[in-house]
Amino acid sequence: YGRLLAGATARRGTTAAVALVALLASLALVPFLGTEFVPALEEGSLLLRVTYAPSTSLNQVIRTTDRMQRDILDAFGDREVRGAVSYIGRAEAGGEPEPVNNVEMTLDLVPEGEWRFGSKTALIAAMDSVVGVYPGVQLTFSQPIEARVDELVSGVRAQLAIKLFGDDLDVLLDRADAIAAVVGDIEGAEDVQVEQVTGQPATEVSVDRGAIARYGLNVEDVLGVIRVGVGGEVVGQLYDGPRRFDILLRLEEPWRDDASRIADLLVPTPSGTNVPVAQLASVRTVVGPKQIGHEGSQRRIVIQANVRGRDLGRFVAEARQAVARRVRLPPGYTVAWSGQFENQQRAMRRLSLIVPLTIALIYLLLFLSLGSLRLAALIILNVPFALIGGIVALFVTGQYLSVPASVGFIALFGVAVLNGVVLVTYIKQLRDDGAAVDEAARQGAELRLRPVLMTALVASLGLVPLLFSRGAGSDVQRPLATAVVGGLITSTLLTLVLLPSIYRWFDPGAGGEGAAG
């Protein structure tokens, strides 16, 4: 270390230039890192959400879902899937009621090391090829907790929610299909779906006002008969002790589910005759809206998508550009992008404000402690140079810049500043005792080698197990550990080599000494 330090001190300019080039090169890697909110937490299970057509009956949903479960267990049972359980619809008593055409199938997975597939992405692709053959269904693969978090963030159970706002439901559906087609062509897009807003069968009755006028009837006379026959009407009450029950008058199911039979209902006229509904109105079955979503007093439709094989930040940036370029929206129609990346952007905005303020506060405390702006600046130099190893480590390991990685960088800054304080304060003490600037820098660095190494090793070795952990929660902890351990390698090296070699440039009393020499 003494020989290395002597060589670096003899070539101060070259040493500083090499460190600066390394910093700039590492910063150039940042655009290639990719961004995400937090890494996907490995939950040990999959959530397959199956959406049938709105008109699908409960019995048909049960039969088809049962066949899907058997197909998955036959193809992946014992090797990848331990078991499967499905939930059809949701009760209205809860906070999230759902119709029976929505099914959630939870698949309990065996440990990943026993799979025949190299990754969960490959396993999901294989499952999609097995159950994707069923016509008229939409499939979304997620994880139970992850799906809940996504729904809390954006209202849909997917990583990305593209919300289209406007007035006309038909225009919304047409433009939503166009956006979904564009997003589906982007690399990494999976499970791209448009929110179901149509497909609900309905019986439409259009009263012929001229016909009812000839019979002396009004609209309510015709619709009242249909309303009682199809929807039912309470005509009395039955008492059983203290209990009371309504008596509902309604047509039997075969007579109220067919538009032609509804048209055969008889409507009494003032003259005492009965006239079929078919002579007074047109009755037909149409496909109407299933639901009409609103947000902020506007109609909206949601396009949802998951992203696999690439980072969410760059995917959203590319998708935004593609949608803006290829999809034309009528006046008054707007698009809002929501989901996990929205949390990531919000977190990064806060960090971009908090981190500079924190560094400024540390600089102020260093100045108050050392009594020198220049020495405080020398210690603060450790902060940007600590980024080098952390950025390179994330890039080499293929991890993204996320909130855990950002927290790791903040912890790294603290250790880097601490090491700088340990070194610089001792060099300043030697200077105050009368030592020459270069001799003080050399002697101080050699005597503070062990304390600096101890500080860095304690911080880094404690996080090494997280780098190789594959247990529950390790996916979130690994970026933090990678940023800290990788950053401490370069930060410690630069603390021990760069700071002593350029100490002369920052020492308040080195100018006169250098001139005299």
Side-chain angles (χ1 to χ4, degrees):
Y1 171 63
R3 291 192 295 269
L4 175 64
L5 181 59
T9 304
R11 302 172 180 83
R12 291 188 179 89
T14 302
T15 302
V18 170
L20 182 60
V21 169
L23 175 61
L24 296 177
S26 65
L27 294 177
L29 294 177
V30 172
F32 301 98
L33 284 180
T35 58
E36 62 181 354
F37 180 48
V38 292
L41 181 66
E42 181 53 55
E43 302 175 27
S45 59
L46 279 177
L47 181 68
L48 171 58
R49 184 174 174 87
V50 185
T51 304
Y52 297 88
S55 59
T56 309
S57 66
L58 176 59
N59 291 332
Q60 182 63 42
V61 170
I62 293 175
R63 288 194 298 268
T64 305
T65 303
D66 186 57
R67 288 199 301 269
M68 282 188 178
Q69 281 193 187
R70 289 200 303 268
D71 291 345
I72 290 177
L73 293 176
D74 289 342
F76 306 99
D78 297 330
R79 293 296 301 273
E80 288 85 20
V81 180
R82 287 197 184 101
V85 60
S86 297
Y87 304 87
I88 299 177
R90 281 213 196 101
E92 294 183 0
E96 303 169 358
E98 286 191 352
V100 296
N101 68 310
N102 288 332
V103 177
E104 292 180 356
M105 186 184 303
T106 302
L107 306 174
D108 186 24
L109 303 179
V110 302
E112 187 173 350
E114 303 176 21
W115 296 355
R116 292 166 294 177
F117 303 90
S119 65
K120 180 173 284 189
T121 301
L123 175 61
I124 291 175
M127 287 185 177
D128 185 66
S129 65
V130 171
V131 295
V133 298
Y134 288 86
V137 299
Q138 296 178 341
L139 305 176
T140 302
F141 288 89
S142 184
Q143 299 182 104
I145 298 176
E146 182 181 1
R148 292 291 184 185
V149 173
D150 290 336
E151 191 168 26
L152 289 172
V153 170
S154 60
V156 300
R157 298 197 166 189
Q159 294 175 323
L160 177 63
I162 308 170
K163 299 179 180 180
L164 177 61
F165 296 90
D167 297 327
D168 191 289
L169 195 61
D170 293 332
V171 176
L172 284 175
L173 185 59
D174 176 72
R175 294 296 82 194
D177 289 336
I179 293 174
V182 172
V183 173
D185 292 337
I186 298 175
E187 180 187 357
E190 299 287 347
D191 308 327
V192 181
Q193 297 177 12
V194 177
E195 181 182 17
Q196 279 189 345
V197 295
T198 61
Q200 182 67 45
T203 301
E204 183 182 80
V205 179
S206 299
V207 177
D208 186 342
R209 294 183 178 272
I212 63 174
R214 288 193 295 271
Y215 288 99
L217 300 170
N218 56 42
V219 174
E220 177 60 26
D221 294 329
V222 179
L223 297 183
V225 171
I226 298 175
R227 183 173 61 252
V228 173
V230 177
E233 184 173 309
V234 176
V235 295
Q237 291 182 327
L238 174 66
Y239 292 87
D240 182 10
R243 294 178 296 177
R244 183 172 58 183
F245 304 93
D246 289 333
I247 300 174
L248 183 70
L249 176 64
R250 188 184 189 189
L251 290 173
E252 292 185 357
E253 187 172 348
W255 294 92
R256 66 173 186 262
D257 291 345
D258 190 338
S260 62
R261 292 193 173 188
I262 295 175
D264 291 337
L265 294 177
L266 299 178
V267 179
T269 65
S271 63
T273 60
N274 295 322
V275 181
V277 170
Q279 297 184 17
L280 305 173
S282 64
V283 183
R284 59 176 183 167
T285 300
V286 298
V287 178
K290 171 179 175 280
Q291 65 181 24
I292 301 177
H294 290 80
E295 186 174 326
S297 302
Q298 281 187 299
R299 286 184 175 181
R300 67 110 173 95
I301 187 171
V302 179
I303 305 95
Q304 67 179 46
N306 286 322
V307 180
R308 301 192 191 103
R310 64 179 302 188
D311 67 285
L312 188 60
R314 282 187 292 186
F315 177 89
V316 172
E318 184 178 345
R320 276 178 159 171
Q321 294 178 358
V323 169
R325 184 174 62 255
R326 296 169 55 184
V327 179
R328 299 187 62 182
L329 298 178
Y333 289 76
T334 58
V335 173
W337 298 75
S338 180
Q340 289 187 13
F341 89 99
E342 190 176 21
N343 279 344
Q344 187 263 342
Q345 289 184 329
R346 187 181 302 113
M348 290 303 174
R349 284 196 298 268
R350 290 177 179 174
L351 288 174
S352 65
L353 176 64
I354 293 173
V355 171
L357 289 177
T358 303
I359 294 176
L361 181 59
I362 293 174
Y363 182 78
L364 175 62
L365 294 175
L366 289 173
F367 166 69
L368 295 177
S369 175
L370 299 173
S372 170
L373 292 174
R374 298 172 68 178
L375 292 181
L378 177 62
I379 296 176
I380 288 294
L381 276 181
N382 259 5
V383 171
F385 285 114
L387 291 171
I388 299 174
I391 294 174
V392 173
L394 290 175
F395 180 79
V396 172
T397 57
Q399 299 180 64
Y400 303 136
L401 183 61
S402 58
V403 172
S406 301
V407 173
F409 279 117
I410 294 174
L412 171 64
F413 294 161
V415 179
V417 170
L418 177 60
N419 281 338
V421 170
V422 169
L423 180 62
V424 172
T425 54
Y426 189 68
I427 297 176
K428 182 177 182 298
Q429 180 182 341
L430 294 177
R431 287 284 292 151
D432 293 340
D433 292 340
V437 60
D438 291 338
E439 178 61 22
R442 181 194 62 77
Q443 184 179 354
E446 291 180 351
L447 292 178
R448 284 295 178 260
L449 171 64
R450 290 179 180 87
V452 169
L453 290 178
M454 287 171 59
T455 305
L457 287 174
V458 168
S460 58
L461 292 181
L463 295 176
V464 167
L466 299 183
L467 295 178
F468 304 99
S469 174
R470 292 297 181 269
S474 61
D475 307 273
V476 177
Q477 299 167 345
R478 195 175 300 116
L480 185 150
T482 302
V484 173
V485 174
L488 282 178
I489 294 174
T490 57
S491 172
T492 304
L493 178 64
L494 291 172
T495 299
L496 294 172
V497 176
L498 179 63
L499 261 64
S501 63
I502 64 174
Y503 180 86
R504 167 184 284 274
W505 297 348
F506 293 84
D507 189 284
E513 181 179 331

